[in-house]
């Protein structure tokens, strides 16, 4: 290890500008990095600037991303997460390193940095490159400056891209490091790549059967609404997309998380015809759900499970016709609706796996398939084609032995690879793929909804004194701590037909999440309330105690 950087600057910057202060709360690199109240985050952002610089040097100067966002969380929160050289989430071992770095007091920061450099054998004379992006929260620029100071303290190089969607930063990191593999390493290059593939798949006829060329886009008052305008300029008439919720408080009464959790339309939805196709994305545009209100005024949600099944069905059909044998699999989490899992097994006859919450877990599992389709029910997901699959598809598409019909399926598979963001789920890219499929099938949202019937379900949040006392196993379907909780949950679940419930500590909010599903909505509400009360009572609940819904008293 050689060191050409004086580490005393690390402590100097921390003391002068980004002190941790007397804060002793243990902070964890969670489901999507560090996420907390913005007032508590600045010193963390500074330290992540340090870490990203060190990590970039580990890879000989390849770009490492630092994204400032609290994604679906309320406006008062912010977050910071690191993106690895291939556009993937930070490697697991480094999550621990990040956690340790954030939890040392200021006066031990310099020695902790020195420890990481020594342990990881970092050449501090090597090049480094940190890419920074941020969402539209008013405090994000301050967090960005803290990251910049972290990079400067270690004499690293940086590029500040300003306001970006999270998936755009993943793409920029990857395309910068792996030149020529995927697309041009610019935002414009990204938009063009997706839009060109979309236009080529759609052709010149923009409507088909029950599919109408109009969509309402809820931008969650976040970066997605800004970037969708850029997409709209390139899409032109090929997709008529009206953006709303672009100026208010981020995620407030709108966005994918609001719509999914409350199972209702967002505020700010413009006047529209019944059955109009609507989408909601979240604050940094990495997840998406579809919804519509029918002519009886009934709201219908089509979430990540629906998107996964629609995409898998479309790809399976292409695979069957393309003349190559490929194994496709779907990856879900415990939040997946039981009816979707049954549909995948019984109708689609596709392999399905269940992993813990967090895109990194789904992504990792999806890599085991030739084509891995992964989605969380909350609308977070994408498709990954293995390198050998891509190679097989492109060589078969050039082969003289391939029939014209096979070539057409192969062409569509190649364009699908271009329309998706394989590094991470992207709301806009996912929307373009779903629009492609609905258009190809001539489907309205009603048609899509009719493919199977969801089991009624709900997700509740319970605030407790310390959510870290909750531990789960079996892809979060079983709670092993606090002792005895799971037995009591099982007892409650047994009372309900097709009942299922689980609890897990959130990795992004200071709550325990409770999921329940059952044959009818009354039962779902009752089961969720009973489990929530159990959690509240066994773990020193904070604030108002959950209560049993009125209709069942
Ligand atoms: C993040 C993660 C998702 C996860 C969600 C909620 O999403 O990237 O994988 O599903 O948090 O996680 P939890 O239930 O642990 O709070 P986002 O869109 O907020 O970045």
């Amino acid at each position: 290890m050689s060191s050409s950087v004086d580490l005393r600057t690390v402590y100097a910057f921390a003391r002068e500008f980004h002190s941790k202060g007397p804060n002793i709360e243990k902070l964890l690199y969670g489901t999507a990095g560090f996420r907390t109240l913005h007032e508590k985050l600045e010193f963390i952002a500074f330290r992540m600037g340090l870490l990203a610089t060190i990590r970039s040097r580990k890879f000989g100067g390849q770009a490492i991303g630092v994204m400032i966002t609290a994604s679906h969380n309320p406006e008062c929160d912010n977050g910071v997460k690191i993106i690895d050289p291939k556009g993937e989430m930070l490697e697991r071992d480094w999550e621990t390193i990040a956690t340790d770095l954030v939890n040392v007091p200021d006066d031990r920061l310099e020695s902790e940095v020195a420890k990481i450099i020594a342990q990881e054998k970092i050449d501090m004379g090597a090049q480094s490159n940190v890419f920074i992006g941020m969402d539209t929260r008013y405090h994000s620029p301050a967090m960005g400056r803290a990251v910049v100071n972290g990079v400067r303290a270690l004499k690293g190089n940086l590029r500040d891209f300003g306001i970006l969607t999270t998936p755009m930063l993943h793409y920029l990191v990857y395309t910068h490091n792996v030149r020529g593999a995927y697309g041009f390493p610019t935002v414009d290059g990204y938009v063009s790549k997706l839009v060109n593939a979309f236009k080529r798949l759609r052709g010149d006829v923009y409507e088909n059967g029950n599919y109408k060329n109009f969509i309402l886009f809820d931008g969650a008052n976040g970066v997605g609404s800004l970037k969708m305008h850029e997409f709209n300029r390139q899409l032109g008439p090929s997709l008529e997309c009206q953006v709303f919720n672009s100026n208010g408080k981020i995620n407030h009464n709108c966005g994918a998380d609001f719509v999914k959790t409350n199972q209702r339309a967002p505020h700010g939805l413009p006047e529209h015809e019944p059955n109009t196709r609507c989408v909601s994305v979240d604050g940094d545009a990495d997840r998406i759900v579809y919804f519509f209100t029918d002519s009886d005024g009934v709201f219908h949600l089509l979430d990540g499970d629906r998107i996964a099944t629609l995409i898998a069905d479309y790809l399976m059909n292409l695979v069957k016709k393309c003349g190559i044998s490929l194994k496709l699999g779907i990856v879900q989490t415990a939040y997946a609706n039981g009816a979707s899992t049954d549909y995948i097994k019984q109708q689609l006859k596709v392999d399905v796996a269940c992993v813990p919450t967090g895109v990194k877990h789904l992504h990792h599992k999806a890599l085991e398939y030739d084509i891995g389709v992964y989605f969380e029910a909350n609308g977070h997901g994408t498709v990954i084609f293995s390198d050998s699959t891509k190679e097989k598809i492109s060589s078969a598409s050039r082969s003289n032995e391939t029939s014209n019909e096979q070539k057409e399926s192969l062409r569509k598979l190649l364009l699908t690879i271009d329309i998706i963001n394989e590094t991470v789920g992207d709301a806009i890219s996912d929307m373009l793929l779903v629009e492609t499929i609905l258009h190809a099938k001539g489907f309205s949202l009603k048609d899509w909804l009719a493919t199977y019937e969801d089991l009624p379900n709900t997700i509740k949040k319970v605030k407790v004194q310390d959510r870290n006392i909750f531990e789960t196993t079996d892809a979060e379907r079983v709670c092993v701590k606090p002792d005895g909780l799971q037995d009591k949950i099982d007892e409650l679940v047994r009372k309900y037909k097709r009942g299922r419930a689980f609890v897990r500590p959130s990795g992004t909010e200071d709550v325990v999440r409770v999921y329940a599903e059952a044959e009818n909505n009354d039962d779902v509400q009752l089961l969720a309330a009973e489990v929530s009360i159990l959690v509240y009572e066994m773990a020193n609940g904070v604030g108002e105690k959950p209560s049993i819904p009125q209709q069942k008293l």
Side-chain angles (χ1 to χ4, degrees):
M1 190 259 310
S2 78
S3 171
S4 60
V5 178
D6 181 353
L7 294 184
R8 280 177 304 181
T9 49
V10 167
Y11 179 46
F13 265 98
R15 196 187 49 217
E16 289 300 314
F17 306 113
H18 308 296
S19 172
K20 179 178 160 86
N23 182 357
I24 49 154
E25 180 192 349
K26 170 97 174 158
L27 297 149
L28 292 176
Y29 194 99
T31 318
F34 293 102
R35 223 174 258 191
T36 183
L37 283 171
H38 74 91
E39 294 92 341
K40 296 184 185 175
L41 196 84
E42 217 177 292
F43 84 92
I44 302 175
F46 167 68
R47 294 179 184 202
M48 288 307 98
L50 299 172
L51 194 70
T53 306
I54 297 171
R55 185 129 177 97
S56 174
R57 289 199 167 114
K58 184 169 177 80
F59 288 95
Q62 289 199 43
I64 295 287
V66 179
M67 184 71 196
I68 312 285
T69 181
S71 193
H72 77 276
N73 289 46
E75 188 185 51
C76 56
D77 288 347
N78 213 325
V80 55
K81 69 174 178 184
I82 293 185
I83 300 168
D84 260 354
K86 287 194 177 151
E88 292 170 341
M89 300 291 182
L90 181 63
E91 185 187 308
R92 184 88 50 94
D93 290 352
W94 278 66
E95 288 186 6
T96 312
I97 294 174
T99 296
D100 291 346
L101 185 64
V102 159
N103 285 292
V104 292
D106 289 339
D107 59 4
R108 277 189 34 221
L109 186 59
E110 188 184 318
S111 58
E112 187 67 21
V113 167
K115 190 177 103 189
I116 299 169
I117 292 169
Q119 267 176 5
E120 296 295 321
K121 301 186 177 55
I122 307 293
D123 175 2
M124 290 301 280
Q127 281 289 315
S128 79
N129 234 320
V130 174
F131 284 8
I132 303 172
M134 65 185 71
D135 69 15
T136 53
R137 282 173 167 83
Y138 68 87
H139 32 83
S140 290
M143 303 305 146
R145 283 192 292 277
V147 177
V148 169
N149 281 343
V151 176
R152 285 203 182 125
L154 292 180
K155 296 197 166 35
N157 299 314
L158 63 95
R159 274 178 76 183
D160 186 350
F161 287 90
I163 292 173
L164 280 183
T165 69
T166 296
M168 279 176 170
L169 188 60
H170 282 259
Y171 169 88
L172 291 170
V173 167
Y174 180 53
T175 49
H176 174 86
N177 293 331
V178 188
R179 293 288 168 125
Y182 200 51
F184 292 110
T186 60
V187 171
D188 210 43
Y190 184 56
V191 176
S192 308
K193 174 174 120 73
L194 267 51
V195 169
N196 288 340
F198 174 77
K199 285 182 172 170
R200 288 179 64 199
L201 276 164
R202 175 160 293 215
D204 298 332
V205 181
Y206 302 149
E207 300 212 329
N208 179 28
N210 293 333
Y211 178 87
K212 301 280 169 276
N213 185 21
F214 179 71
I215 187 162
L216 283 165
F217 182 100
D218 164 18
N221 297 320
V223 55
S225 58
L226 301 180
K227 295 301 169 189
M228 195 57 223
H229 290 300
E230 289 181 31
F231 274 90
N232 273 345
R233 275 193 284 280
Q234 293 205 29
L235 283 162
S238 65
L239 182 66
E240 285 183 26
C241 176
Q242 183 183 336
V243 179
F244 66 102
N245 286 336
S246 19
N247 279 317
K249 210 172 176 176
I250 195 166
N251 299 322
H252 183 62
N253 290 334
C254 61
D257 196 56
F258 173 87
V259 172
K260 166 75 181 157
T261 311
N262 297 289
Q263 307 204 7
R264 53 175 287 203
H267 292 206
L269 185 61
E271 285 278 306
H272 61 281
E273 296 280 311
N275 303 319
T276 299
R277 234 171 30 259
C278 305
V279 291
S280 279
V281 305
D282 67 342
D284 63 337
D286 59 2
R287 47 166 129 154
I288 186 164
V289 293
Y290 273 73
F291 64 91
F292 70 100
T293 308
D294 66 23
S295 45
D296 296 325
V298 180
F299 170 85
H300 300 279
L301 174 73
L302 296 110
D303 62 9
D305 301 337
R306 290 276 174 183
I307 297 175
T309 52
L310 184 83
I311 294 176
D313 178 45
Y314 176 76
L315 294 178
M316 281 296 289
N317 280 326
L318 292 180
V319 167
K320 273 182 202 149
K321 290 186 200 154
C322 80
I324 312 172
S325 160
L326 296 170
K327 184 165 165 83
L328 185 144
I330 297 182
V331 187
Q332 303 185 309
T333 69
Y335 290 107
N337 196 283
S340 77
T341 315
D342 290 347
Y343 175 75
I344 294 166
K345 287 182 187 159
Q346 287 153 22
Q347 302 293 318
L348 298 182
K349 301 198 189 310
V350 167
D351 216 48
V352 57
C354 182
V355 299
T357 301
V359 193
K360 56 192 170 199
H361 301 298
L362 288 102
H363 190 94
H364 190 71
K365 184 73 192 170
L367 290 169
E368 291 177 14
Y369 299 102
D370 295 329
I371 304 175
V373 178
Y374 71 82
F375 270 87
E376 294 184 299
N378 62 23
H380 222 303
T382 188
V383 186
I384 318 177
F385 290 74
S386 72
D387 287 344
S388 70
T389 302
K390 283 183 198 156
E391 179 46 42
K392 280 183 198 160
I393 294 174
S394 72
S395 71
S397 72
R398 293 189 305 266
S399 162
N400 293 333
E401 284 159 30
T402 309
S403 72
N404 285 343
E405 200 205 351
Q406 288 170 335
K407 278 196 173 153
E408 180 54 13
S409 297
L410 292 162
R411 183 185 79 90
K412 287 183 178 157
L413 283 171
L414 287 170
L415 287 170
T416 303
I417 295 170
D418 263 351
I419 215 174
I420 53 167
N421 183 330
E422 286 188 276
T423 62
V424 77
D426 176 343
I428 298 176
S429 138
D430 289 340
M431 179 184 84
L432 293 177
L433 180 55
V434 170
E435 291 298 307
T436 298
I437 299 171
L438 295 176
H439 172 261
K441 286 178 174 286
F443 265 17
S444 66
L445 290 193
K446 256 182 161 174
D447 298 324
W448 181 11
L449 193 69
T451 49
Y452 66 88
E453 199 179 336
D454 274 319
L455 278 171
N457 64 90
T458 190
I459 301 169
K460 304 280 181 221
K461 298 179 191 182
V462 183
K463 226 169 158 30
V464 296
Q465 252 166 33
D466 179 9
R467 72 188 200 273
N468 296 319
I469 64 167
F470 287 78
E471 281 175 31
T472 61
T473 185
D474 188 18
E476 301 180 322
R477 290 172 288 197
V478 175
C479 187
V480 288
K481 289 237 167 83
D483 287 342
L485 175 60
Q486 187 60 47
D487 289 343
K488 291 188 170 142
I489 295 174
D490 292 344
E491 217 171 281
L492 291 172
V493 166
R494 275 195 291 274
K495 297 195 309 192
Y496 298 95
K497 212 164 171 199
R498 302 191 75 185
R500 184 167 75 91
F502 67 89
V503 305
R504 56 172 285 276
S506 162
T508 61
E509 293 176 62
D510 192 11
V511 295
V512 173
R513 297 199 198 280
V514 171
Y515 176 86
E517 69 182 33
E519 198 179 50
N520 63 63
N521 199 43
D522 280 353
D523 283 358
V524 164
Q525 297 308 329
L526 194 52
L527 175 58
E530 288 178 329
V531 176
S532 300
I533 292 169
L534 205 57
V535 167
Y536 185 92
E537 284 175 346
M538 283 187 78
N540 297 322
V542 174
E544 204 181 323
K545 186 174 167 181
S547 56
I548 300 293
Q550 285 301 312
Q551 70 267 24
K552 288 284 177 178
L553 283 176

